Amino acid sequence: MCLILCQSLSDLHQDIHLFRFNVETGEVYILAGANDEIEIIVPQNGAWRFLDETQL
């Protein structure tokens, strides 16, 4: 799922600034966009979601 999301971001000409795997939670964090405005969390089950600032 992570590769599909990265490919979709790339197709939309969005820069991917950070791709981080958290060993403790098994989640992937993707930071993308011209102004780092796109934050995506991909849990182990693949049901990705946008990270909202209210969730921090």
Side-chain angles (χ1 to χ4, degrees), residues 25-42:
T25 64
E27 294 180 333
V28 172
Y29 173 80
I30 301 170
L31 178 65
N35 297 314
D36 296 338
E37 71 271 14
I38 302 171
E39 295 179 278
I40 300 172
I41 298 290
V42 184

Side-chain angles (χ1 to χ4, degrees), residues 4-37:
I4 293 169
L5 284 171
C6 287
Q7 179 64 48
S8 296
L9 288 166
S10 178
D11 289 345
L12 295 170
H13 303 284
Q14 298 295 323
D15 294 330
I16 298 170
H17 299 276
L18 182 65
F19 184 94
R20 175 83 170 118
F21 176 70
N22 185 324
V23 178
E24 295 175 6
T25 64
E27 294 180 333
V28 172
Y29 173 80
I30 301 170
L31 178 65
N35 297 314
D36 296 338
E37 71 271 14

